[in-house]
Amino acid sequence: IRDHWTGARTPSGRIIAQGARGLVELVGGHWESVCSETDFTWDTLVSDSNGRIWAGGAGEIGYYDPDDSGGYHYHSLTALLSEADRSLKDVYEAFPDSHGRVVFVSAGIVVRTDGLSAETWHLPFVRRLYGWVDMGRVLISGNDSQIFVMEESGPRELTRPSSLAGSDISWTEHLGEENWIAFTRNGLFSGVPGSGQRFERINQWLRRSAPTTFARIPDGRLAITTYVN
């Protein structure tokens, strides 16, 4: 398959990834084509609870719907955006919600769509916007230590952790009550945002290793993938 870092697992257990052209599915020990309609380089593929696969990449967003033959058909959504918003650059993350919609987080624009219409928001950022899910909420950050939570009316800014000013938050997790951990360009920290308590650095090694994703595994440990060993 194409040398790329994105794939999706559907509710029925199908493992879908980007192939040299379109989508491929892992069947047994080999990959089989399930859609050859597209030739985009996707930054993100994610399945929702209905098996629809949402896709985002440089200048393109859309979705793949499964058909009766076991394949997929692609539907582009870029035309739903204004001319000014179609220069999406890279679309790094996509987060389906419980209403049949998805939130795409691109380098500088947030898009929410149900496949029929789209809403967009331009949020402040330095390098790019980062998105993640915590306690069922989509959180977004990109400028200084600002964190936004996606609500029905759009992004709402949360209390800014003053102790992380200038740190560029790219991921957080709520640990209970008022305790959070956060990854920033200065490393991984733990503490209480907005209370005046200083975040204590957990591991400077992470700063040198360029983390890409974070996930909790069943035993409670935090799994981190990085560009650098």
Side-chain angles (χ1 to χ4, degrees):
I1 66 175
R2 174 173 288 177
D3 182 15
H4 207 57
W5 52 56
T6 189
R9 181 169 182 163
T10 69
S12 62
R14 301 177 71 179
I15 298 176
I16 307 295
Q18 177 170 353
R21 181 174 177 83
L23 298 185
V24 293
E25 178 181 8
L26 183 62
V27 180
H30 64 281
W31 295 94
E32 294 184 359
S33 175
V34 289
C35 180
S36 57
E37 298 173 354
T38 55
D39 191 23
F40 300 112
T41 299
W42 298 122
D43 295 309
T44 184
L45 293 171
V46 61
S47 176
D48 64 17
S49 59
N50 296 316
R52 171 177 285 182
I53 296 177
W54 299 88
E60 178 69 15
I61 57 173
Y63 64 87
Y64 294 88
D65 265 346
D67 59 28
D68 294 337
S69 68
Y72 286 86
H73 289 299
Y74 181 68
H75 305 268
S76 176
L77 300 178
T78 305
L80 297 179
L81 306 178
S82 68
E83 288 288 344
D85 288 339
R86 291 180 189 176
S87 57
L88 287 170
K89 298 183 180 179
D90 295 315
V91 180
Y92 293 104
E93 292 101 9
F95 305 101
D97 66 15
S98 59
H99 303 289
R101 303 173 301 189
V102 68
V103 175
F104 288 106
V105 180
S106 77
I109 303 173
V110 177
V111 179
R112 183 169 63 192
T113 177
D114 60 2
L116 300 175
S117 61
E119 304 169 276
T120 61
W121 296 271
H122 294 253
L123 299 182
F125 69 98
V126 177
R127 296 172 182 80
R128 49 161 284 202
L129 294 175
Y130 297 87
W132 64 95
V133 174
D134 183 45
M135 300 180 66
R137 307 180 303 173
V138 176
L139 302 180
I140 302 165
S141 181
N143 181 26
D144 199 14
S145 57
Q146 288 177 289
I147 301 176
F148 296 85
V149 59
M150 282 297 298
E151 297 185 340
E152 190 61 33
S153 58
R156 175 178 65 84
E157 186 175 1
L158 297 178
T159 301
R160 181 183 303 200
S162 59
S163 53
L164 289 182
S167 296
D168 291 347
I169 299 172
S170 58
W171 176 85
T172 64
E173 184 181 57
H174 188 212
L175 300 179
E177 296 183 355
E178 296 297 322
N179 192 28
W180 295 64
I181 58 176
F183 178 76
T184 77
R185 61 185 171 91
N186 293 324
L188 189 65
F189 294 77
S190 67
V192 183
S195 69
Q197 174 181 330
R198 180 182 177 184
F199 277 63
E200 296 300 327
R201 186 165 299 153
I202 295 176
N203 196 335
Q204 277 199 356
W205 167 81
L206 290 169
R207 181 182 178 185
R208 301 190 300 269
S209 302
T212 56
T213 56
F214 301 82
R216 284 291 177 187
I217 56 179
D219 66 6
R221 288 181 295 171
L222 180 63
I224 304 171
T225 63
T226 69
Y227 282 120
V228 182
N229 292 332

